[in-house]
């Protein structure tokens, strides 16, 4: 299946989940525990960022242990990280910015990749290369829902879809998910690195579990 053919399938997968937890993991064990909790509590997806050394192995093991999860690789900034994410078994990759070199490498391998955009010029450059599913980042700092709606005026007819991340939280997530062209949001609030660290140290995952369940309930309103 070609890159262009895979994007609609990924959009459908995003729309089935609506909230993608964004995780910066310090250990593989905590990453696998998070994946287990996501799978069990109604939010079967994760963007595991390559900001930590545990990312690659977490994706590799989680892809085998939790095949029902939609696993993405985040903070993919160069071709080497892209190759590592693909090899580990990620289903898609995301970047905070628009790097044509990485976009072209992903398309050449028919691998779903969401470049980050924040301006009309970046949207147009990404679309020119074949990207219709884009990360809007940092969402709130760049105008949030209102800015996305402004961009949809000239670009809706192109079939552009967005995944806003950055500043999305329980207080505003419903306003994002109410926009039809927003396939999903990146949920950085779901489990901060410090919260995961404390839960792993204490063995008490109840607060994390509740956060996941609450997010799943929010997402269910828009599926």
């Amino acid at each position: 299946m070609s890159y262009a053919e895979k994007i609609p399938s990924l959009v459908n997968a995003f729309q089935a989940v609506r909230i993608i937890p964004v995780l910066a993991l310090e250990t593989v064990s905590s990453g696998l525990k998070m994946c287990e909790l996501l799978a069990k509590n109604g939010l079967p997806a994760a963007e595991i960022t390559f900001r930590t050394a545990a990312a690659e192995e977490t994706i590799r093991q989680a892809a085998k242990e939790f095949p029902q999860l939609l696993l993405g690789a985040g903070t993919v900034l160069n071709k080497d990280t892209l190759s590592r994410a693909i090899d580990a078994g990620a289903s898609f990759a995301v970047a905070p910015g628009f790097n044509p070199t990485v976009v072209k490498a992903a398309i050449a391998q028919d691998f779903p990749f969401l470049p980050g955009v924040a301006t009309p010029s970046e949207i147009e450059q990404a679309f020119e290369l074949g990207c219709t599913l884009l990360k809007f980042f940092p969402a709130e700092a760049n105008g949030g829902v209102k800015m996305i709606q402004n961009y949809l005026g000239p670009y809706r007819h192109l079939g552009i879809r967005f995944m806003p991340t950055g500043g999305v939280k329980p207080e505003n997530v419903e306003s994002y998910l109410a926009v039809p062209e927003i396939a999903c949001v990146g949920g950085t609030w779901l489990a901060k690195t410090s919260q995961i660290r404390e839960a792993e140290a204490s063995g008490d995952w109840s607060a994390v579990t509740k956060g996941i369940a609450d997010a799943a309930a929010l997402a269910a309103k828009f599926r």
Side-chain angles (χ1 to χ4, degrees):
M1 188 180 295
S2 70
Y3 179 89
E5 291 171 329
K6 287 182 178 179
I7 294 302
S9 296
L10 184 58
V11 170
N12 289 338
F14 279 171
Q15 290 176 330
V17 180
R18 301 312 313 265
I19 297 175
I20 309 292
V22 179
L23 307 175
L25 303 163
E26 295 179 326
T27 66
V28 174
S29 58
S30 66
L32 294 176
K33 181 63 177 182
M34 282 299 304
C35 289
E36 176 190 345
L37 293 175
L38 290 167
K40 289 182 176 178
N41 291 280
L43 207 61
E47 175 193 324
I48 297 173
T49 72
F50 268 79
R51 297 199 301 269
T52 69
E56 182 176 357
E57 188 59 27
T58 299
I59 293 172
R60 189 179 307 280
Q61 293 191 33
K64 296 174 182 177
E65 293 187 32
F66 307 100
Q68 70 271 44
L69 284 186
L70 179 63
L71 281 174
T75 322
V76 174
L77 306 180
N78 51 57
K79 292 195 294 183
D80 175 66
T81 306
L82 176 69
S83 295
R84 289 164 56 200
I86 294 172
D87 182 67
S91 299
F92 66 95
V94 179
F98 170 66
N99 183 331
T101 299
V102 182
V103 171
K104 290 175 183 177
I107 291 175
Q109 297 177 76
D110 294 321
F111 184 73
F113 182 78
L114 284 70
V117 300
T119 68
S121 295
E122 290 168 339
I123 292 172
E124 291 184 22
Q125 291 176 73
F127 180 77
E128 181 70 17
L129 292 179
C131 300
T132 55
L133 181 56
L134 307 171
K135 176 173 179 171
F136 182 60
F137 177 83
E140 279 293 288
N142 279 303
V145 173
K146 185 175 181 180
M147 186 61 77
I148 291 173
Q149 290 173 325
N150 285 334
Y151 287 160
L152 286 170
Y155 300 124
R156 178 183 284 110
H157 71 286
L158 299 178
I160 298 292
R161 296 291 183 270
F162 290 103
M163 174 188 179
T165 305
V168 181
K169 51 191 175 183
E171 293 78 12
N172 61 24
V173 66
E174 294 192 35
S175 65
Y176 280 96
L177 294 179
V179 178
E181 290 80 10
I182 291 179
C184 66
V185 300
T188 57
W189 81 87
L190 276 159
K192 300 292 187 182
T193 303
S194 58
Q195 186 181 16
I196 296 174
R197 184 191 309 126
E198 291 168 6
E200 184 171 40
S202 67
D204 182 2
W205 292 86
S206 58
V208 174
T209 301
K210 183 180 185 304
I212 293 170
D214 289 347
L218 271 176
K221 298 179 182 179
F222 297 90
R223 290 174 182 153

